[in-house]
Each structure stands twice: as C-alpha cells, then as structure tokens.
Amino acid sequence: MKIDVSRDVFRLAQVFTISRGSRSEAHVLTVRVSDGAHSGWGECVPYARYGETLDSVTDEILGLPPQIDRAALQDMLPAGAARNAVDCALWDLEAKRAGKRVWELAGLAAPEPQITAYTLSLDSPENMHQQAVKNAHRPVLKIKLGTPDDMPRLKAVRAGAPQPKIIVDANEGWSAEVYADLAPHLVALGVALVEQPLPAGQDSALIGMNRPVPVCADESCHDRASLAGLKDKYDVINIKLDKTGGLTEALALRSEGEAMGYGVMVGCMVGSSLAMAPATLVAQGASVVDLDGPLLLAEDRQHPLEFDEKGVHPPVRELWG
C-alpha cells in the first residue's frame, strides 16, 4: 500500500469570518492510497482550534505503516483530520476494488439529496443584511456570530431574509450571561438551533439553564468518547468528519448519539467537494445538514458535488466512493 499526501489551496468566493478569525483561502490536505491496481482518495482540513497544522497532520499520515486497513487505522491515529483523510481514502479504495459504491459496502440505503444550510460569515450588521438579502431564497441560513454585540447582526439578517430557517453558530464566543440574555430574542426571531454558544471547557454552565432553542454541541463533540460529557448540556450533536476522524467513526457516532436521544446535525470545515462527499452519507435524514463548503469556494475539484433546489446530491463515482 502506498500513501501520498499533497497540499491543495482553494480560493474562497469571499472572505470568510468567524469569531476566531478570517480567511480567503481553504488550505487542505489530499491523501491518496494505492495498492498498485486501484487507488482511493480523501481530504481533510487541519484545524488550529484542535492543535492541528498542515505539517503535523502530514507527519501523522506519513507515519502510518504501508499495510493499513480501516479497522487498524481506528487505533493507530486519534480522532482528527489525519485519520479522516486516510479513512475516507480507504473507503474509496475499497469501493473501487469491489466495483461498488461506499454506501453498499457500509450497508446503507442509496443516498438522496439533502437540503443544506448556507453560511453567512461574521461581519457588520449592514454587510450581513446584504448577505441575507442575496441569499434569502435559500431554505436554511446559518449565521456566524459569537460577539457580545450580536443582536443587531441577527436582526439585520432576519430583516433581509424573512423566510429561511435560521441557525446560529457562536463558535464558543458567548459567555453564559450573554447567551441567557440572547435566548429569548433568538426565539422571537425564529432561530431554530444554536451551535456551541459557550467555550467547550466552560459548557457545564448549560446544565440546568433554560434552553428555549435547541443547543448543539460542536467543539464539545468529536467522537463517541465525547458523548458522556454532553449529558444535560446539549440537545443536538454536530458530526464533522474532521472531528470524528473519518466516515467509520462518524457513522458510529451518529448511531450511538441517536440511541442516546440526541438530534443530529452534520457539518463541515471549509473544504472542497471531496471533503463533503463522505459526509453526504452521514447526513441522510439528519435534522440539520450544513455541507455548504463547496458553495463558499471560487474553485472546486473536478466532478464536484451538485447543489440545486433539492439540496446537496451524493457524489458521482468519479469524485469519491
């Protein structure tokens, strides 16, 4: 087995800002695994919030033994970007070898298009209003917030887009006091979900707090080992393959999370269609789907995912799986 890692950069359609900073490009790692006759590939987005860099994740991947399979991989690398890219590449390789699609190998029903949120990045209320007007035709908008002065932004977005379902992502940017103050206003403005309002290390403040809008664990939820720490704090879990360490764990996390009563959101980092492709399988029937990464890019992979009024479609064979 041969494992190759390369770096790719995709220009964003516009500057993308969250509470932790801004970017104009998506820097990703592309992993290819080959057995000499067939090859598969996957993509990951190393994330500084979780102590990852392009160099550190590359080193993790290149440190793997040449003979590796998905089962062994789960113990050789921790949940994170490195394991994600390799796991998804191995799924793709298995599908190519078998002449089947990944969902057939996984025992899943054939995937269908899923309505996805479209993200409006953090900006001034005036600019976010303009973003909202431009995207008011979309069924679901996700708003990046996370400052003590977010109410004008939220009101500006709702004024510009009266009809879409709105979800809010604070990216750990609020305190318990700020969230408690905002909660009734979120209800009044028709917000359907709030992602990670408090820092992951301080989210115990959510225990016993009134949650009139469902609260979703993002930075607080990585893999199945995270679930025990979410009790009484969250209503929904956000499953991202770069957090779970691949499709294998993402499917297991979804199953166990649902069995424990959590709603499921399937999200993404800002990456190409190759990164989103495996996540479309996890997203089937999820309560919230946020796989808009390719819509935020000015350029994408060949054979990109299709987005239309039905949502994000599953990948064609030429892309992945």
Side-chain angles (χ1 to χ4, degrees), residues 256-294:
E256 189 165 324
E258 288 180 327
M260 294 175 67
Y262 291 105
V264 170
M265 175 179 182
V266 176
C268 65
M269 307 302 186
V270 181
S272 80
S273 284
L274 177 59
M276 307 302 124
T280 62
L281 306 190
V282 190
Q284 297 298 299
S287 55
V288 179
V289 177
D290 178 27
L291 297 179
D292 64 343

mmCIF file of all heavy atoms in Angstrom, residues 256-294:
data_model
loop_
_atom_site.group_PDB
_atom_site.id
_atom_site.type_symbol
_atom_site.label_atom_id
_atom_site.label_comp_id
_atom_site.label_asym_id
_atom_site.label_seq_id
_atom_site.Cartn_x
_atom_site.Cartn_y
_atom_site.Cartn_z
ATOM 1 N N GLU A 256 -24.864 5.927 17.842
ATOM 2 C CA GLU A 256 -24.872 5.958 19.308
ATOM 3 C C GLU A 256 -25.514 7.234 19.824
ATOM 4 O O GLU A 256 -26.244 7.209 20.832
ATOM 5 C CB GLU A 256 -23.446 5.814 19.838
ATOM 6 C CG GLU A 256 -23.385 5.618 21.340
ATOM 7 C CD GLU A 256 -22.032 5.117 21.813
ATOM 8 O OE1 GLU A 256 -21.409 4.316 21.092
ATOM 9 O OE2 GLU A 256 -21.606 5.529 22.915
ATOM 10 N N GLY A 257 -25.248 8.358 19.159
ATOM 11 C CA GLY A 257 -25.851 9.624 19.581
ATOM 12 C C GLY A 257 -27.361 9.589 19.493
ATOM 13 O O GLY A 257 -28.067 10.037 20.407
ATOM 14 N N GLU A 258 -27.876 9.060 18.396
ATOM 15 C CA GLU A 258 -29.328 8.953 18.239
ATOM 16 C C GLU A 258 -29.919 8.028 19.285
ATOM 17 O O GLU A 258 -30.998 8.298 19.832
ATOM 18 C CB GLU A 258 -29.667 8.469 16.834
ATOM 19 C CG GLU A 258 -29.431 9.507 15.761
ATOM 20 C CD GLU A 258 -29.778 9.014 14.373
ATOM 21 O OE1 GLU A 258 -29.604 7.803 14.108
ATOM 22 O OE2 GLU A 258 -30.217 9.826 13.544
ATOM 23 N N ALA A 259 -29.212 6.932 19.591
ATOM 24 C CA ALA A 259 -29.711 5.995 20.597
ATOM 25 C C ALA A 259 -29.795 6.650 21.977
ATOM 26 O O ALA A 259 -30.629 6.270 22.811
ATOM 27 C CB ALA A 259 -28.802 4.764 20.654
ATOM 28 N N MET A 260 -28.963 7.671 22.203
ATOM 29 C CA MET A 260 -28.965 8.388 23.482
ATOM 30 C C MET A 260 -29.947 9.556 23.481
ATOM 31 O O MET A 260 -30.069 10.268 24.478
ATOM 32 C CB MET A 260 -27.556 8.886 23.798
ATOM 33 C CG MET A 260 -26.552 7.768 24.058
ATOM 34 S SD MET A 260 -24.843 8.376 24.292
ATOM 35 C CE MET A 260 -25.012 9.277 25.830
ATOM 36 N N GLY A 261 -30.618 9.770 22.358
ATOM 37 C CA GLY A 261 -31.648 10.791 22.300
ATOM 38 C C GLY A 261 -31.225 12.126 21.725
ATOM 39 O O GLY A 261 -32.009 13.088 21.727
ATOM 40 N N TYR A 262 -30.011 12.221 21.209
ATOM 41 C CA TYR A 262 -29.556 13.479 20.623
ATOM 42 C C TYR A 262 -30.052 13.622 19.185
ATOM 43 O O TYR A 262 -30.091 12.639 18.426
ATOM 44 C CB TYR A 262 -28.028 13.551 20.611
ATOM 45 C CG TYR A 262 -27.422 13.675 21.986
ATOM 46 C CD1 TYR A 262 -26.792 12.584 22.576
ATOM 47 C CD2 TYR A 262 -27.480 14.873 22.691
ATOM 48 C CE1 TYR A 262 -26.242 12.677 23.848
ATOM 49 C CE2 TYR A 262 -26.935 14.978 23.965
ATOM 50 C CZ TYR A 262 -26.322 13.875 24.535
ATOM 51 O OH TYR A 262 -25.781 13.985 25.798
ATOM 52 N N GLY A 263 -30.421 14.849 18.824
ATOM 53 C CA GLY A 263 -30.640 15.146 17.432
ATOM 54 C C GLY A 263 -29.300 15.204 16.719
ATOM 55 O O GLY A 263 -28.253 15.337 17.349
ATOM 56 N N VAL A 264 -29.330 15.110 15.401
ATOM 57 C CA VAL A 264 -28.090 15.049 14.633
ATOM 58 C C VAL A 264 -28.012 16.191 13.626
ATOM 59 O O VAL A 264 -28.935 16.430 12.849
ATOM 60 C CB VAL A 264 -27.954 13.696 13.883
ATOM 61 C CG1 VAL A 264 -26.797 13.738 12.889
ATOM 62 C CG2 VAL A 264 -27.744 12.570 14.879
ATOM 63 N N MET A 265 -26.899 16.891 13.699
ATOM 64 C CA MET A 265 -26.511 17.852 12.670
ATOM 65 C C MET A 265 -25.243 17.317 12.029
ATOM 66 O O MET A 265 -24.377 16.762 12.715
ATOM 67 C CB MET A 265 -26.255 19.226 13.301
ATOM 68 C CG MET A 265 -25.721 20.264 12.332
ATOM 69 S SD MET A 265 -25.469 21.868 13.169
ATOM 70 C CE MET A 265 -24.921 22.862 11.782
ATOM 71 N N VAL A 266 -25.123 17.454 10.718
ATOM 72 C CA VAL A 266 -23.895 17.045 10.032
ATOM 73 C C VAL A 266 -23.277 18.285 9.406
ATOM 74 O O VAL A 266 -23.915 18.955 8.591
ATOM 75 C CB VAL A 266 -24.164 15.965 8.970
ATOM 76 C CG1 VAL A 266 -22.883 15.628 8.211
ATOM 77 C CG2 VAL A 266 -24.729 14.712 9.634
ATOM 78 N N GLY A 267 -22.069 18.617 9.843
ATOM 79 C CA GLY A 267 -21.424 19.840 9.405
ATOM 80 C C GLY A 267 -20.117 19.585 8.701
ATOM 81 O O GLY A 267 -19.753 18.451 8.384
ATOM 82 N N CYS A 268 -19.361 20.660 8.469
ATOM 83 C CA CYS A 268 -18.125 20.551 7.716
ATOM 84 C C CYS A 268 -17.184 21.686 8.067
ATOM 85 O O CYS A 268 -17.600 22.713 8.597
ATOM 86 C CB CYS A 268 -18.410 20.570 6.209
ATOM 87 S SG CYS A 268 -19.104 22.146 5.614
ATOM 88 N N MET A 269 -15.915 21.500 7.747
ATOM 89 C CA MET A 269 -14.971 22.594 7.688
ATOM 90 C C MET A 269 -15.098 23.199 6.281
ATOM 91 O O MET A 269 -15.837 22.678 5.444
ATOM 92 C CB MET A 269 -13.545 22.104 7.935
ATOM 93 C CG MET A 269 -13.363 21.299 9.201
ATOM 94 S SD MET A 269 -13.851 22.198 10.697
ATOM 95 C CE MET A 269 -13.335 21.024 11.962
ATOM 96 N N VAL A 270 -14.366 24.275 6.006
ATOM 97 C CA VAL A 270 -14.413 24.857 4.667
ATOM 98 C C VAL A 270 -13.434 24.100 3.788
ATOM 99 O O VAL A 270 -12.217 24.268 3.892
ATOM 100 C CB VAL A 270 -14.076 26.364 4.696
ATOM 101 C CG1 VAL A 270 -14.169 26.939 3.285
ATOM 102 C CG2 VAL A 270 -15.034 27.104 5.612
ATOM 103 N N GLY A 271 -13.964 23.231 2.941
ATOM 104 C CA GLY A 271 -13.153 22.410 2.055
ATOM 105 C C GLY A 271 -13.864 22.178 0.744
ATOM 106 O O GLY A 271 -14.914 22.759 0.470
ATOM 107 N N SER A 272 -13.296 21.296 -0.053
ATOM 108 C CA SER A 272 -13.823 21.050 -1.390
ATOM 109 C C SER A 272 -14.901 19.967 -1.377
ATOM 110 O O SER A 272 -15.212 19.380 -0.338
ATOM 111 C CB SER A 272 -12.691 20.635 -2.328
ATOM 112 O OG SER A 272 -12.365 19.266 -2.146
ATOM 113 N N SER A 273 -15.425 19.672 -2.566
ATOM 114 C CA SER A 273 -16.435 18.621 -2.693
ATOM 115 C C SER A 273 -15.918 17.266 -2.239
ATOM 116 O O SER A 273 -16.690 16.425 -1.779
ATOM 117 C CB SER A 273 -16.907 18.527 -4.150
ATOM 118 O OG SER A 273 -17.789 19.575 -4.479
ATOM 119 N N LEU A 274 -14.611 17.039 -2.352
ATOM 120 C CA LEU A 274 -14.055 15.762 -1.910
ATOM 121 C C LEU A 274 -14.220 15.586 -0.408
ATOM 122 O O LEU A 274 -14.489 14.483 0.074
ATOM 123 C CB LEU A 274 -12.573 15.672 -2.292
ATOM 124 C CG LEU A 274 -11.836 14.411 -1.838
ATOM 125 C CD1 LEU A 274 -12.493 13.148 -2.405
ATOM 126 C CD2 LEU A 274 -10.357 14.483 -2.241
ATOM 127 N N ALA A 275 -14.091 16.661 0.358
ATOM 128 C CA ALA A 275 -14.271 16.581 1.808
ATOM 129 C C ALA A 275 -15.723 16.348 2.180
ATOM 130 O O ALA A 275 -16.023 15.670 3.172
ATOM 131 C CB ALA A 275 -13.758 17.858 2.469
ATOM 132 N N MET A 276 -16.648 16.932 1.401
ATOM 133 C CA MET A 276 -18.072 16.816 1.723
ATOM 134 C C MET A 276 -18.654 15.464 1.309
ATOM 135 O O MET A 276 -19.640 14.996 1.888
ATOM 136 C CB MET A 276 -18.887 17.895 0.995
ATOM 137 C CG MET A 276 -18.426 19.333 1.172
ATOM 138 S SD MET A 276 -18.357 19.907 2.860
ATOM 139 C CE MET A 276 -16.621 20.413 2.896
ATOM 140 N N ALA A 277 -18.063 14.846 0.280
ATOM 141 C CA ALA A 277 -18.668 13.655 -0.321
ATOM 142 C C ALA A 277 -18.989 12.555 0.695
ATOM 143 O O ALA A 277 -20.124 12.061 0.734
ATOM 144 C CB ALA A 277 -17.761 13.131 -1.443
ATOM 145 N N PRO A 278 -18.040 12.125 1.538
ATOM 146 C CA PRO A 278 -18.397 11.082 2.517
ATOM 147 C C PRO A 278 -19.448 11.547 3.513
ATOM 148 O O PRO A 278 -20.265 10.744 3.988
ATOM 149 C CB PRO A 278 -17.057 10.789 3.215
ATOM 150 C CG PRO A 278 -16.000 11.348 2.325
ATOM 151 C CD PRO A 278 -16.626 12.519 1.639
ATOM 152 N N ALA A 279 -19.440 12.842 3.841
ATOM 153 C CA ALA A 279 -20.395 13.359 4.824
ATOM 154 C C ALA A 279 -21.829 13.302 4.322
ATOM 155 O O ALA A 279 -22.764 13.289 5.132
ATOM 156 C CB ALA A 279 -20.027 14.786 5.203
ATOM 157 N N THR A 280 -22.026 13.267 3.004
ATOM 158 C CA THR A 280 -23.397 13.167 2.487
ATOM 159 C C THR A 280 -24.055 11.856 2.912
ATOM 160 O O THR A 280 -25.280 11.786 3.006
ATOM 161 C CB THR A 280 -23.438 13.283 0.951
ATOM 162 O OG1 THR A 280 -22.714 12.204 0.349
ATOM 163 C CG2 THR A 280 -22.862 14.608 0.474
ATOM 164 N N LEU A 281 -23.251 10.837 3.197
ATOM 165 C CA LEU A 281 -23.819 9.562 3.654
ATOM 166 C C LEU A 281 -24.283 9.678 5.100
ATOM 167 O O LEU A 281 -25.334 9.149 5.467
ATOM 168 C CB LEU A 281 -22.785 8.448 3.527
ATOM 169 C CG LEU A 281 -22.121 8.248 2.161
ATOM 170 C CD1 LEU A 281 -21.312 6.958 2.156
ATOM 171 C CD2 LEU A 281 -23.148 8.239 1.036
ATOM 172 N N VAL A 282 -23.510 10.363 5.927
ATOM 173 C CA VAL A 282 -23.886 10.564 7.333
ATOM 174 C C VAL A 282 -25.097 11.484 7.435
ATOM 175 O O VAL A 282 -25.899 11.376 8.357
ATOM 176 C CB VAL A 282 -22.706 11.161 8.124
ATOM 177 C CG1 VAL A 282 -23.007 11.138 9.626
ATOM 178 C CG2 VAL A 282 -21.416 10.408 7.850
ATOM 179 N N ALA A 283 -25.248 12.378 6.463
ATOM 180 C CA ALA A 283 -26.276 13.424 6.519
ATOM 181 C C ALA A 283 -27.680 12.930 6.185
ATOM 182 O O ALA A 283 -28.650 13.680 6.374
ATOM 183 C CB ALA A 283 -25.907 14.561 5.561
ATOM 184 N N GLN A 284 -27.816 11.713 5.720
ATOM 185 C CA GLN A 284 -29.124 11.233 5.299
ATOM 186 C C GLN A 284 -30.137 11.293 6.437
ATOM 187 O O GLN A 284 -29.982 10.625 7.457
ATOM 188 C CB GLN A 284 -29.019 9.810 4.755
ATOM 189 C CG GLN A 284 -28.152 9.676 3.511
ATOM 190 C CD GLN A 284 -28.710 10.480 2.345
ATOM 191 O OE1 GLN A 284 -29.831 10.245 1.882
ATOM 192 N NE2 GLN A 284 -27.929 11.422 1.864
ATOM 193 N N GLY A 285 -31.163 12.138 6.284
ATOM 194 C CA GLY A 285 -32.216 12.240 7.274
ATOM 195 C C GLY A 285 -31.838 12.986 8.541
ATOM 196 O O GLY A 285 -32.609 13.000 9.498
ATOM 197 N N ALA A 286 -30.664 13.628 8.560
ATOM 198 C CA ALA A 286 -30.271 14.398 9.741
ATOM 199 C C ALA A 286 -31.211 15.587 9.921
ATOM 200 O O ALA A 286 -31.778 16.106 8.955
ATOM 201 C CB ALA A 286 -28.836 14.882 9.611
ATOM 202 N N SER A 287 -31.357 16.048 11.163
ATOM 203 C CA SER A 287 -32.268 17.161 11.413
ATOM 204 C C SER A 287 -31.735 18.466 10.833
ATOM 205 O O SER A 287 -32.515 19.335 10.441
ATOM 206 C CB SER A 287 -32.528 17.309 12.917
ATOM 207 O OG SER A 287 -31.303 17.438 13.624
ATOM 208 N N VAL A 288 -30.416 18.624 10.789
ATOM 209 C CA VAL A 288 -29.790 19.784 10.168
ATOM 210 C C VAL A 288 -28.585 19.312 9.371
ATOM 211 O O VAL A 288 -27.776 18.532 9.875
ATOM 212 C CB VAL A 288 -29.328 20.831 11.212
ATOM 213 C CG1 VAL A 288 -28.662 22.011 10.519
ATOM 214 C CG2 VAL A 288 -30.499 21.311 12.057
ATOM 215 N N VAL A 289 -28.470 19.785 8.134
ATOM 216 C CA VAL A 289 -27.325 19.471 7.282
ATOM 217 C C VAL A 289 -26.636 20.784 6.928
ATOM 218 O O VAL A 289 -27.284 21.736 6.495
ATOM 219 C CB VAL A 289 -27.755 18.726 6.000
ATOM 220 C CG1 VAL A 289 -26.550 18.483 5.084
ATOM 221 C CG2 VAL A 289 -28.434 17.406 6.363
ATOM 222 N N ASP A 290 -25.330 20.806 7.124
ATOM 223 C CA ASP A 290 -24.542 22.008 6.840
ATOM 224 C C ASP A 290 -23.295 21.586 6.063
ATOM 225 O O ASP A 290 -22.195 21.518 6.606
ATOM 226 C CB ASP A 290 -24.172 22.713 8.152
ATOM 227 C CG ASP A 290 -23.300 23.945 7.925
ATOM 228 O OD1 ASP A 290 -23.389 24.545 6.844
ATOM 229 O OD2 ASP A 290 -22.518 24.291 8.831
ATOM 230 N N LEU A 291 -23.489 21.280 4.797
ATOM 231 C CA LEU A 291 -22.402 20.822 3.928
ATOM 232 C C LEU A 291 -22.238 21.785 2.763
ATOM 233 O O LEU A 291 -22.251 21.399 1.594
ATOM 234 C CB LEU A 291 -22.691 19.398 3.419
ATOM 235 C CG LEU A 291 -22.761 18.313 4.499
ATOM 236 C CD1 LEU A 291 -23.069 16.957 3.880
ATOM 237 C CD2 LEU A 291 -21.459 18.249 5.315
ATOM 238 N N ASP A 292 -22.080 23.051 3.104
ATOM 239 C CA ASP A 292 -22.032 24.094 2.080
ATOM 240 C C ASP A 292 -20.616 24.500 1.695
ATOM 241 O O ASP A 292 -20.421 25.475 0.969
ATOM 242 C CB ASP A 292 -22.797 25.336 2.558
ATOM 243 C CG ASP A 292 -22.163 25.980 3.799
ATOM 244 O OD1 ASP A 292 -21.357 25.296 4.469
ATOM 245 O OD2 ASP A 292 -22.488 27.134 4.095
ATOM 246 N N GLY A 293 -19.606 23.761 2.181
ATOM 247 C CA GLY A 293 -18.227 24.129 1.887
ATOM 248 C C GLY A 293 -17.961 24.493 0.436
ATOM 249 O O GLY A 293 -17.404 25.565 0.150
ATOM 250 N N PRO A 294 -18.360 23.652 -0.526
ATOM 251 C CA PRO A 294 -18.101 23.982 -1.933
ATOM 252 C C PRO A 294 -18.797 25.254 -2.402
ATOM 253 O O PRO A 294 -18.302 25.926 -3.312
ATOM 254 C CB PRO A 294 -18.643 22.754 -2.681
ATOM 255 C CG PRO A 294 -18.545 21.641 -1.696
ATOM 256 C CD PRO A 294 -18.864 22.272 -0.368
#
